[in-house]
């Protein structure tokens, strides 16, 4: 009988899923809107006109986001990544970061951004307590960047954003680069050359089949193993020890001391076994995998719930029942599911 009683959470209670993966990291989308229309994420031709984005009143408020993150921290989350859509378009983001940074038990708050609004916001974000920044930048070629961002990105604005972040004190900014064969692959070595010696590690990300609308095709993926060989011929590199089992990137360092480079190979070398990441959309839907086709709506428990234990119990039971390993099962028969869109979920 005891088993049926709701758990009472008086202290931090770690939770594990069906494959003994603990809940350690939360990726929280703070808004689904974006000022870019990247062809691999939110292609303009697939947005179904007005009403595709959440109305602002449907977003969790700052206070609600704080309650949500506290519940995840009680269950073992130590790292939080703020994402979107473009997180910097959420009004008042630095104030939200400040609230989240004050949550006891949370060791690290990172944010992923397309970088253009950093010129205005980097200082406030640093002051608010943001620990780390990732800036997405796919190429230094303005024409290709223009195309990949759906006609929205200007290279100068993103580089100015990175400089503003450096000036605000972010010393080690990760640069996320999605590689698509025949689109930006011939510009990758220039991008690596630019960031060598800057202290900012570039991470080459294999183009993924996220969402339903990015026209993904396996032949557009450049396996990261190819990059490792190509880069080695120009600049010798050697592998680094993973800093944790949950690390998504395989890290290498340049032998000549010019810094680090990461490879995120979720197509050719899936890493589901170490996946300890939960994801929540800006309207409170909890997903246990980047490629999920359905999630659990936590909003009623956050907005109208009276007992914080109920929220924690729901998260606990969803995570305990988790058995996701999409990237390892990709391509298997019966695996062609409809997936949540990347810009709703964040990367
Ligand atoms: N707007 C922010 C940005 O672009 O950095 C944050 C949200 S974006 C969805 C998070 C990360 O997902 C970005 O680094 C982006 O490049 C990556 N991403 C989006 N679509 C992708 C895809 N199809 N394959 C691989 N990475 C993707
Ligand atoms: Fe926007 Fe980021 Fe998606 Fe590009 S990758 S469309 S910047 S959310
Ligand atoms: Fe985690 Fe799903 Fe990606 Fe596997 S496919 S690493 S379970 S998010």
């Amino acid at each position: 009988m005891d088993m049926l009683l709701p758990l009472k959470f008086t202290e931090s209670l770690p939770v594990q899923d069906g494959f003994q993966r603990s809940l350690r990291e939360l990726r929280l989308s703070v808004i689904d809107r974006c000022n870019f229309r990247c062809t691999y994420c939110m292609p303009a031709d697939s947005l179904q006109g007005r009403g595709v984005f959440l109305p602002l009143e449907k977003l969790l408020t700052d206070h609600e986001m704080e309650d949500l993150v506290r519940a995840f921290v009680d269950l073992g989350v130590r790292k939080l990544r703020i994402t979107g859509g473009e997180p910097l378009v959420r009004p008042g983001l630095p104030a939200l970061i400040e609230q989240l940074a004050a949550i006891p038990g949370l060791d690290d708050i990172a944010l992923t951004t397309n970088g253009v609004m950093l010129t205005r916001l980097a200082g406030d974000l640093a002051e608010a307590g943001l620990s780390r920044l990732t800036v997405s930048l796919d190429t230094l070629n303005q024409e290709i960047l223009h195309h990949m961002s759906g006609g929205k990105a200007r290279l100068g604005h993103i580089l100015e954003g990175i400089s503003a972040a450096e000036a605000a004190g972010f010393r080690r900014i990760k640069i996320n680069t999605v590689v698509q064969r025949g689109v930006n692959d011939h510009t990758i070595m220039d991008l690596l050359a630019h960031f060598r010696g800057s202290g900012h590690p570039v991470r080459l990300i294999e183009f993924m089949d996220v969402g339903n609308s990015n026209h993904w095709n396996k032949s557009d993926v450049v396996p990261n193993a190819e990059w490792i060989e190509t880069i080695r011929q120009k600049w010798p590199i050697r592998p680094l020890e993973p800093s944790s089992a949950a690390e998504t990137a395989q890290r290498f360092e340049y032998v000549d001391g010019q810094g680090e480079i990461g490879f995120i190979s979720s197509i050719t070398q899936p890493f589901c076994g170490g996946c300890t990441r939960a994801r929540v959309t800006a309207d409170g839907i909890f997903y246990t995998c980047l490629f999920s086709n359905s999630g659990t709506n936590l909003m009623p428990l956050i907005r109208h719930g009276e007992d914080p234990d109920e929220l924690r119990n729901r998260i606990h039971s969803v995570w305990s029942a988790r058995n996701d390993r999409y990237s390892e099962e990709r391509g298997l028969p019966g695996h062609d599911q409809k997936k949540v869109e990347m810009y709703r979920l964040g990367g």
Side-chain angles (χ1 to χ4, degrees):
M1 261 326 255
D2 280 359
M3 300 272 289
L4 299 175
L5 289 174
L7 293 168
K8 272 285 168 201
F9 290 90
T10 48
E11 57 186 57
S12 178
L13 187 61
V15 50
Q16 289 196 326
D17 71 6
F19 295 126
Q20 283 77 52
R21 296 172 297 189
S22 303
L23 173 53
R24 284 287 171 223
E25 189 184 338
L26 173 63
R27 302 207 166 179
L28 177 61
S29 171
V30 293
I31 194 158
D32 58 347
R33 290 161 201 250
C34 185
N35 43 4
F36 285 11
R37 291 289 180 271
C38 300
T39 49
Y40 50 74
C41 171
M42 199 196 281
D45 62 5
S46 77
L47 296 175
Q48 297 129 27
R50 290 159 63 94
V52 72
F53 296 115
L54 293 167
L56 292 181
E57 69 276 10
K58 277 207 138 193
L59 303 184
L60 294 172
T61 62
D62 289 4
H63 185 69
E64 289 166 344
M65 288 204 167
E66 184 186 334
D67 288 348
L68 174 86
V69 174
R70 275 183 196 279
F72 274 95
V73 169
D74 286 345
L75 290 165
V77 162
R78 294 292 169 265
K79 290 168 84 172
L80 173 67
R81 179 166 293 274
I82 303 292
T83 177
E86 172 47 42
L88 300 194
V89 306
R90 180 180 168 109
L93 184 71
L96 170 61
I97 302 277
E98 194 170 351
Q99 255 173 276
L100 300 177
I103 296 176
L106 196 59
D107 300 334
D108 182 77
I109 306 186
L111 176 141
T112 309
T113 171
N114 63 33
V116 286
M117 291 174 71
L118 284 173
T119 36
R120 190 142 52 84
L121 289 171
D124 291 348
L125 291 170
E127 255 176 57
L130 184 69
S131 332
R132 295 183 299 119
L133 254 188
T134 298
V135 175
S136 302
L137 176 60
D138 300 323
T139 177
L140 296 178
N141 178 307
Q142 173 55 47
E143 221 174 291
I144 297 170
L145 185 68
H146 188 255
H147 162 73
M148 290 181 83
S149 64
K152 304 290 183 183
R154 296 254 187 88
L155 178 63
H157 292 169
I158 300 174
L159 294 178
E160 280 163 28
I162 293 172
S163 301
E166 286 169 340
F170 294 99
R171 294 273 159 263
R172 191 173 185 278
I173 300 165
K174 286 183 188 155
I175 308 294
N176 270 6
T177 303
V178 177
V179 184
Q180 281 180 280
R181 197 182 288 285
V183 178
N184 64 334
D185 53 344
H186 58 293
T187 69
I188 295 303
M189 296 304 277
D190 285 350
L191 182 111
L192 294 178
H194 178 88
F195 286 105
R196 265 170 52 84
S198 67
H200 307 319
V202 173
R203 287 140 36 107
L204 299 183
I205 305 177
E206 290 176 349
F207 175 38
M208 290 189 283
D209 52 336
V210 288
N212 312 289
S213 49
N214 68 4
H215 312 293
W216 184 84
N217 194 310
K218 197 162 184 199
S219 60
D220 299 334
V221 177
V222 182
N224 270 332
E226 280 185 28
W227 285 118
I228 293 175
E229 280 321 302
T230 309
I231 294 165
R232 259 202 184 120
Q233 284 165 23
K234 182 157 177 143
W235 302 295
I237 51 175
R238 63 181 159 228
L240 289 167
E241 283 297 311
S243 51
S244 79
E247 199 164 63
T248 50
Q250 254 179 302
R251 294 182 305 125
F252 282 68
E253 66 180 356
Y254 294 110
V255 172
D256 63 4
Q258 292 302 297
E260 215 180 282
I261 175 165
F263 300 93
I264 301 182
S265 316
S266 72
I267 304 295
T268 61
Q269 291 177 62
F271 36 78
C272 299
C275 182
T276 54
R277 289 174 294 282
R279 296 175 152 91
V280 178
T281 61
D283 56 344
I285 318 271
F286 171 23
Y287 290 92
T288 54
C289 177
L290 183 55
F291 301 91
S292 298
N293 61 355
S294 63
T296 303
N297 187 3
L298 300 178
M299 174 66 101
L301 292 175
I302 304 167
R303 189 157 286 182
H304 307 297
E306 276 159 23
D307 181 359
D309 275 353
E310 277 190 61
L311 176 60
R312 287 188 288 246
N313 283 334
R314 182 66 59 84
I315 298 168
H316 191 287
S317 65
V318 170
W319 191 266
S320 306
R322 176 189 195 236
N323 59 6
D324 304 282
R325 42 186 297 224
Y326 177 92
S327 287
E328 292 181 351
E329 294 173 334
R330 179 183 281 110
L332 293 183
H335 218 259
D336 285 339
Q337 60 189 26
K338 192 160 168 56
K339 292 161 274 173
V340 61
E341 290 297 334
M342 180 79 147
Y343 62 86
R344 292 263 295 134
L345 208 52

